[in-house]
Amino acid sequence: MWTVAIVRAILRNPKYTGRQVWGRTHHGKTTPRADWVWSEVWAHPPLVTANEFTAADHRSRGVPASAGANDFSANALPTDQRQAA
């Protein structure tokens, strides 16, 4: 069953953008998104677009929808996805 919590988790998990992502935590603590390491190649077809990932992140942090792509969450995306965010 699709619940709000499941959909939220998918939208906020960077792996669903089609890339592998390493370094999201260190010793059990969340690391800044700018420090995440994104795979150079696609690991699988994306289920979530860069725009959807960034929008879900903005909403969860209370960032206005009008915020530009220059914030940390867009900069944490791989270079080829930053334009879309």
Side-chain angles (χ1 to χ4, degrees), residues 10-30:
I10 290 171
L11 287 172
R12 296 198 61 221
N13 188 331
K15 290 186 177 186
Y16 289 103
T17 63
R19 305 287 183 138
Q20 289 288 33
V21 183
W22 297 276
R24 293 172 54 201
T25 61
H26 184 71
H27 296 293
K29 296 183 180 180
T30 304

Side-chain angles (χ1 to χ4, degrees), residues 1-12 16:
M1 175 186 272
W2 291 96
T3 65
V4 172
I6 290 170
V7 173
R8 181 183 304 118
I10 290 171
L11 287 172
R12 296 198 61 221
Y16 289 103

